[in-house]
Amino acid sequence: MLNAEVVADLFVLRIAAQQALAQQHRGKLITKSLHAELVYNMSGSRHISESFKRFGVTESCKHLLVARFDAEPQELQGITDMVAGEQRCLDSLSSVRDEGLIKKYYKVTPNELKVGTLADAALFKIAARDC
């Protein structure tokens, strides 16, 4: 589960998920599970605990994004039953996005936004983490 408010764009989420799957395939997960790797990969930081604090779910989290790899229908139903709230389509992700937090967490400068989008800046920060 992720804090949906700090997901810059669905494409960023897909890239983080692809990275997690690639790491698992190589046997090189940095965290202990594929789902934890997804949360870690959403961050531009190498600090696992900081990644979980910023992008994971907390008590104050109002909008969740539930991501599950290879889920069976009964697993999805179990997750749905656990979460109190209303399900929304991924297309509505931008309506819950907190751009201020995203800029803060990825340390996005005004100059970066002159040449690209917030999602572009987030992707660059994620990619640069591993350089």
Side-chain angles (χ1 to χ4, degrees):
M1 286 190 218
L2 296 152
N3 179 355
E5 295 174 6
V6 293
V7 177
D9 188 79
L10 189 55
F11 185 65
V12 176
L13 178 68
R14 288 180 176 152
I15 293 297
Q18 196 284 326
Q19 283 181 321
L21 288 168
Q23 292 294 89
Q24 182 188 45
H25 180 72
R26 290 186 209 109
K28 302 267 185 188
L29 288 178
I30 294 169
T31 62
K32 294 183 180 183
S33 73
L34 182 62
H35 296 90
E37 197 77 10
L38 173 62
V39 176
Y40 173 70
N41 284 335
M42 287 295 298
S43 175
S45 169
R46 287 185 178 215
H47 301 284
I48 296 170
S49 62
E50 192 64 31
S51 301
F52 286 116
K53 286 179 194 173
R54 292 179 176 182
F55 295 90
V57 177
T58 64
E59 290 291 324
S60 63
C61 190
K62 296 176 189 166
H63 300 96
L64 304 177
L65 192 149
V66 178
R68 182 80 173 109
F69 295 93
D70 294 330
E72 297 291 327
Q74 62 271 23
E75 288 177 297
L76 292 176
Q77 187 59 49
I79 293 169
T80 301
D81 294 343
M82 277 187 347
V83 178
E86 135 190 5
Q87 286 187 28
R88 292 191 178 177
C89 180
L90 284 175
D91 294 336
S92 68
L93 186 60
S94 62
S95 68
V96 300
R97 180 175 52 214
D98 185 334
E99 291 189 7
L101 269 182
I102 294 169
K103 289 176 186 176
K104 177 182 174 183
Y105 289 168
Y106 288 110
K107 299 176 184 166
V108 178
T109 66
N111 285 338
E112 288 175 292
L113 296 175
K114 288 180 183 176
V115 296
T117 66
L118 188 56
D120 293 337
L123 283 171
F124 291 137
K125 302 291 179 159
I126 292 168
R129 176 190 68 200
D130 296 328
C131 293

